[in-house]
Amino acid sequence: MLATGTEEPRNVHPSATRRRLEIKMTLSSKVANTVYIEFVRLLYTARWPIAVVGAAILMVGLAVGRQTGDLVAPAIGIIGMLVTVGRLALCVAFDRTVQRRPLDLASAKVWERRLAIGVIATGVCVGGFAVRCFLLPDLTAHMVAGGLVFGYCAGTTTRFSIRPWIVKASLGVSVIPAVSAALWNFDLMHAAQALLFLIFFFGGFELIVYIHDTTREQLTLRAEAAHLARADVLTKLPNRLRLAEHFEETAARLRRHKEGFAVIGVDLDFFKEANDRFGHATGDELLRMVATRLTGLLREHDLAARIGGDEFVVIQADVSDRRDVERLCRRIVETLSAPYAIDGHSITLGASLGTAIAPDDGTSLDDLLAKADAALYAVKRNRSGRTSGAAAARDAAPLAPDVPDGAEPTRGAPQPLQFHA
């Protein structure tokens, strides 16, 4: 029987150890990417604070203009409000985009930069308003400027510390000009005010780090738990739950953008013989190596899942015609049929594939899996024949179970492999 994954192989080849480390690093990277994407999503939930800051800049700008007769302060207030409207429009655009397609790492980086531009632009408005107020002779304008700077720094630190570089840049463009303008007045009270600005500016760094680290720890724990619930324990590939979720995401792209996709069933040939001959620990390592090879063939929106034993499923996204599926199937066969070096043994397996393409063969996961399974088992029943519409690929001969100890396993005559296409 196939091992459950709890037994560790003895005297495992060093390359197998390296592969395990690579799998762990890949898992860590996936969790880190998930956390980062969640950080970006959280940034775009700050709608009310954005509106409050914009209204505050406009209000104090108009108030200072009315009190002093100055035209620059109201102009800065109006600019600040326009920046706020732009930031709120960006949030709406973000919502519409993620409704159509979930965030990935590349798009999350783009959206983070867009949001950073808005946050820093607001900081520039706050700093510019403070400079203008401190250059006016009216001391009430100085007081209003100080209140706006402190309020903006407190709110920005609390809300955007999950991305430290954004909040530090925003605080810098707001506080440093305010400090310079306060010192320009060159008296004791303004020097004290400038000192308070600096104390809160540098003191806020510790709070920024604390909020960021605490949030990251919580999100990492949540992401790890979610990943474990959706991952096969042995191979770390997605399990049936994640397969179903990914299928729904891919099916949604089919409905919205008419992007076809394929479901490919993969079954390892002669895995049981290798597992029986060399032991369950070696069988486990074989499955891990197969998983690594499969994932190395896939693009960003493709997915390979282990659904049990030596059975795998691949979802190939963005399929324009059946030739796309045939090309990937040939690559899978060639890759999985290459020898596996484990603990001094060279083991060769084969692979049988069956495919179903949406929407021609169905649009539900159950229908497509059933058709892919039917095509796969038809291949197994008729290895040497050819079926109508089937494409042929060459499959290396598997491990021969009766090879004498110490002898190199041989590769027999190539056999045709059919897959439904």
Side-chain angles (χ1 to χ4, degrees):
M1 294 177 62
L2 180 65
T4 61
T6 57
E7 180 183 358
E8 293 295 325
R10 299 177 181 176
N11 301 320
V12 175
H13 194 274
S15 61
T17 302
R18 286 195 298 271
R19 279 189 293 273
R20 288 191 181 185
L21 292 175
E22 290 173 358
I23 290 174
K24 290 181 179 179
M25 292 175 64
T26 301
L27 173 58
S28 177
S29 177
K30 287 182 179 179
V31 170
N33 291 344
T34 300
V35 171
Y36 171 74
I37 292 171
E38 183 63 14
F39 272 147
V40 174
R41 190 194 66 79
L42 288 174
L43 289 174
Y44 279 91
T45 61
R47 312 296 171 83
W48 179 245
I50 293 174
V52 168
V53 170
I57 296 175
L58 178 62
M59 181 183 67
V60 297
L62 295 176
V64 169
R66 181 177 179 82
Q67 175 74 15
T68 64
D70 181 64
L71 298 179
V72 176
I76 294 175
I78 293 172
I79 293 172
M81 193 62 196
L82 291 176
V83 171
T84 297
V85 172
R87 291 176 63 186
L88 292 174
L90 182 65
C91 292
V92 173
F94 175 83
D95 289 344
R96 292 177 177 175
T97 300
V98 297
Q99 285 175 0
R100 293 194 300 268
R101 185 186 294 268
L103 273 184
D104 55 26
L105 184 61
S107 61
K109 290 180 178 179
V110 172
W111 284 105
E112 180 188 24
R113 289 193 293 269
R114 291 171 178 171
L115 182 135
I117 291 172
V119 176
I120 295 172
T122 301
V124 170
C125 291
V126 172
F129 179 79
V131 169
R132 184 57 185 172
C133 287
F134 280 123
L135 294 179
L136 295 173
D138 193 318
L139 292 180
T140 57
H142 300 193
M143 179 185 67
V144 169
L148 181 63
V149 171
F150 282 121
Y152 175 74
C153 291
T156 302
T157 299
T158 302
R159 197 63 186 85
F160 295 102
S161 288
I162 54 177
R163 299 306 296 151
W165 76 271
I166 295 179
V167 69
K168 288 179 180 180
S170 182
L171 293 183
V173 298
S174 60
V175 172
I176 293 175
V179 170
S180 301
L183 291 175
W184 181 261
N185 289 277
F186 205 71
D187 59 44
L188 179 61
M189 296 308 295
H190 284 93
Q193 192 169 27
L195 180 61
L196 284 175
F197 285 152
L198 289 175
I199 289 173
F200 278 93
F201 176 65
F202 289 108
F205 284 5
E206 182 179 359
L207 179 60
I208 292 170
V209 173
Y210 173 77
I211 293 175
H212 173 262
D213 290 349
T214 301
T215 307
R216 181 178 60 184
E217 181 179 357
Q218 293 173 347
L219 292 178
T220 299
L221 291 174
R222 186 191 306 173
E224 288 176 345
H227 180 83
L228 290 174
R230 291 164 173 78
D232 173 58
V233 175
L234 177 62
T235 63
K236 309 306 178 186
L237 285 179
N239 58 14
R240 286 181 178 271
L241 174 59
R242 178 58 189 141
L243 175 67
E245 292 176 344
H246 184 83
F247 179 87
E248 291 302 322
E249 296 167 5
T250 308
R253 288 198 294 272
L254 171 63
R255 292 190 295 269
R256 295 191 183 105
H257 308 292
K258 307 304 179 183
E259 295 179 2
F261 63 93
V263 173
I264 305 172
V266 181
D267 189 80
L268 300 180
D269 295 331
F270 301 95
F271 172 77
K272 184 179 184 302
E273 287 83 351
N275 194 55
D276 292 343
R277 174 171 175 77
F278 294 107
H280 299 323
T282 298
D284 287 351
E285 188 60 30
L286 273 172
L287 291 174
R288 282 189 283 262
M289 295 172 72
V290 167
T292 301
R293 292 186 184 187
L294 268 180
T295 54
L297 295 173
L298 305 183
R299 301 165 302 175
E300 181 180 0
H301 295 296
D302 299 338
L303 177 134
R306 182 187 178 215
I307 60 174
D310 59 347
E311 298 178 3
F312 300 83
V313 171
V314 173
I315 293 183
Q316 181 184 9
D318 194 16
V319 171
S320 57
D321 58 49
R322 294 183 181 273
R323 287 174 295 182
D324 293 337
V325 186
E326 291 177 12
R327 284 191 289 268
L328 178 58
C329 286
R330 292 179 186 277
R331 293 173 61 202
I332 291 174
V333 170
E334 292 171 359
T335 301
L336 299 189
S337 298
Y340 300 83
I342 302 177
D343 195 18
H345 301 290
S346 180
I347 305 172
T348 305
L349 304 177
S352 297
L353 276 64
T355 72
I357 301 177
D360 295 345
D361 295 325
T363 55
S364 72
L365 179 59
D366 290 340
D367 288 345
L368 292 169
L369 281 176
K371 292 190 176 182
D373 284 343
L376 189 155
Y377 287 109
V379 167
K380 284 184 170 292
R381 288 193 301 269
N382 187 22
R383 296 288 296 180
S384 60
R386 288 180 178 270
T387 59
S388 176
R394 298 181 72 81
D395 176 17
L399 166 87
D402 56 349
V403 173
D405 290 336
E408 287 292 324
T410 60
R411 298 166 70 91
Q415 301 175 7
L417 168 71
Q418 297 96 39
F419 50 84
H420 174 78

